[in-house]
Amino acid sequence: RSAGQDCSLGFCAIGLPPGTAAAVHPARGAALWPALGSAAPHKIGQLEAREREARVTAAQRARKVERERTKALGQLEEAFRQAALPWPPAEADGSGPQLDYAGVLRGQCLDTVGCSGYLPATHLAHAPSLAMLCVRCGCECSRHEVLRAPECPPANGAAE
């Protein structure tokens, strides 16, 4: 047993896959011995359990984000069609970073790989609740990286 897999009480959980037949040997520290032709039992330590929990949590969050994104894109599409605007909207002139509704310069999405940068849902006066969504990915503007606005160069003759 490794120290990383031992529980505080000195034992680990046991996973028994389908088709496992095992014998427990008390004289050998409760060692498990799979029966001939059986699936081997799997010892699950604390470290492995924590890692699995982290993977499951990340996968659940990714599925939740994808559901929310799909729903938001559907709402955006309907709002654009109600306003008689083309869907998907044409790329903005100079398709670089865009300002969100609060005037913050936004870049690429932190949740979505396919979003090349924040594109605000403009011209949707009839649907103000959609103003904070990115038209490219459907995520809120807060899920896009915050960029610093380029600083203006000093004027000629200005003291440094």
Side-chain angles (χ1 to χ4, degrees), residues 8-87:
S8 61
L9 300 175
F11 59 88
C12 297
I14 303 297
L16 297 175
T20 299
V24 178
H25 294 279
R28 294 191 176 198
L32 282 174
W33 295 79
L36 187 60
S38 168
H42 180 70
K43 290 186 179 182
I44 304 169
Q46 282 184 336
L47 179 63
E48 187 177 340
R50 283 191 196 116
E51 289 171 350
R52 183 180 186 286
E53 184 178 357
R55 285 192 311 269
V56 167
T57 302
Q60 288 172 340
R61 185 184 185 298
R63 285 192 298 271
K64 179 181 177 187
V65 166
E66 187 59 29
R67 281 192 308 270
E68 290 172 355
R69 243 178 38 78
T70 302
K71 180 180 176 184
L73 285 172
Q75 291 172 340
L76 282 168
E77 181 178 3
E78 179 148 346
F80 268 75
R81 297 208 191 284
Q82 286 176 356
L85 296 171
W87 180 261

Side-chain angles (χ1 to χ4, degrees), residues 81-107:
R81 297 208 191 284
Q82 286 176 356
L85 296 171
W87 180 261
E91 293 291 320
D93 295 338
S95 60
Q98 300 284 321
L99 295 175
D100 67 7
Y101 69 99
V104 177
L105 192 62
R106 298 288 179 169

